Amino acid sequence: MVNKIAPSILASDYANFAQELHRIDQTSADYVHIDIMDGQFVPNISFGADVVASLRKHSKLVFDCHLMVVEPERYVDAFAQAGADIMTIHAEATKHIHGALQKIKKAGLKAGAVINPGTPVSALEPVLSLIDQVLIMTVNPGFGGQAFIPEMLDKVKTVAAWREETGYDFDIEVDGGIDDKTIKACKDAGANVFVAGSYLFKADDLASQVQTLRDVLNA
Ligand code: DX5
Ligand code: ZN
């Protein structure tokens, strides 16, 4: 699998989104990871589809939208119209994860399914044939800058083994506490899409920070 780096703009300067997207464009990053939080599924509130539509005018990179919202199926059309490329939804946030993922595919988006640290990985098994991406949360969602939870690596290994067994073609993404120390174990467990927020944006030179992650992946 091709390794992809997904800078999370949750850690960027919200008053300068256009400039922040331009900074990401200057790196070798593959995706822009956009965290949508509703203050209900998670305690924090971030941004919605209208913000994504505005961001779309400033970047051609893949928009990897991670919805931490209750009943995400309500927002499929809004995110499709806003220019999202991937819409990843939480198994815990809907009564109908299978139907919601079908709706995302029908809208022409790539579909991702994500689970919280406290959710068993078995929740993902029935939807693997439908999806383009599995996301294993490596922190509890809601905030950037939290410590990586190493126990989540077993879930990554399980999903990677299922992918091998079934032959289904999907990416395995990890999100939360990813830095130059934790990324290698995620790759070794089978992940190939790496979200990083605070690790990347704490540095002035975003490009060299992305490159450091790539160097660790390639070492
Ligand atoms: C957390 C978000 C993450 C967050 C990661 O709920 O899903 O995408 O931006 O931030 P770091 O990399 O700082 O843990
Ligand atoms: Zn995220």
Side-chain angles (χ1 to χ4, degrees):
M1 300 296 283
V2 180
N3 289 322
K4 295 170 192 163
I5 309 273
S8 169
I9 56 164
L10 193 69
S12 73
D13 176 1
Y14 303 168
N16 288 299
F17 269 145
Q19 204 181 309
E20 295 288 56
L21 287 172
H22 184 68
R23 279 176 81 202
I24 295 172
D25 266 341
Q26 307 298 301
T27 74
S28 66
D30 304 277
Y31 293 172
V32 178
H33 185 82
I34 306 177
D35 288 303
I36 311 297
M37 304 181 182
D38 67 351
Q40 293 228 32
F41 183 70
V42 289
N44 202 4
I45 297 175
S46 61
F47 12 84
D50 291 347
V51 174
V52 174
S54 294
L55 296 175
R56 188 71 280 178
K57 296 174 196 139
H58 298 279
S59 174
K60 291 191 165 51
L61 287 177
V62 170
F63 276 9
D64 177 33
C65 296
H66 172 198
L67 274 81
M68 287 156 274
V69 308
V70 172
E71 293 172 7
E73 56 269 35
R74 294 176 294 157
Y75 300 105
V76 173
D77 294 339
F79 277 85
Q81 277 157 26
D85 296 289
I86 307 169
M87 185 166 171
T88 297
I89 59 170
H90 274 264
E92 306 88 351
T94 172
K95 292 192 179 103
H96 300 288
I97 182 73
H98 191 280
L101 290 163
Q102 283 178 320
K103 192 170 175 184
I104 293 171
K105 297 293 291 180
K106 214 170 161 192
L109 300 176
K110 293 200 167 174
V114 46
I115 51 169
N116 287 330
T119 302
V121 69
S122 57
L124 295 170
E125 204 177 1
V127 299
L128 292 180
S129 62
L130 269 181
I131 57 177
D132 302 287
Q133 170 168 287
V134 160
L135 169 52
I136 302 293
M137 288 308 298
T138 44
V139 299
N140 284 292
F143 302 94
Q146 303 180 80
F148 181 79
I149 305 172
E151 287 79 8
M152 298 305 117
L153 291 170
D154 281 344
K155 292 187 190 178
V156 176
K157 284 180 196 156
T158 300
V159 173
W162 286 339
R163 183 173 61 187
E164 188 76 31
E165 278 164 32
T166 59
Y168 295 142
D169 182 24
F170 55 80
D171 289 314
I172 303 177
E173 182 175 55
V174 283
D175 182 9
I178 303 299
D179 60 21
D180 56 342
K181 312 267 179 318
T182 56
I183 197 167
K184 187 75 165 80
C186 294
K187 186 210 162 191
D188 290 346
N192 70 296
V193 183
F194 307 92
V195 177
S198 49
Y199 171 76
L200 293 180
F201 283 91
K202 74 180 181 197
D204 290 333
D205 188 350
L206 205 59
S208 80
Q209 206 77 340
V210 171
Q211 192 53 47
T212 302
L213 293 183
R214 286 210 187 278
D215 292 344
V216 175
L217 290 171
N218 294 334

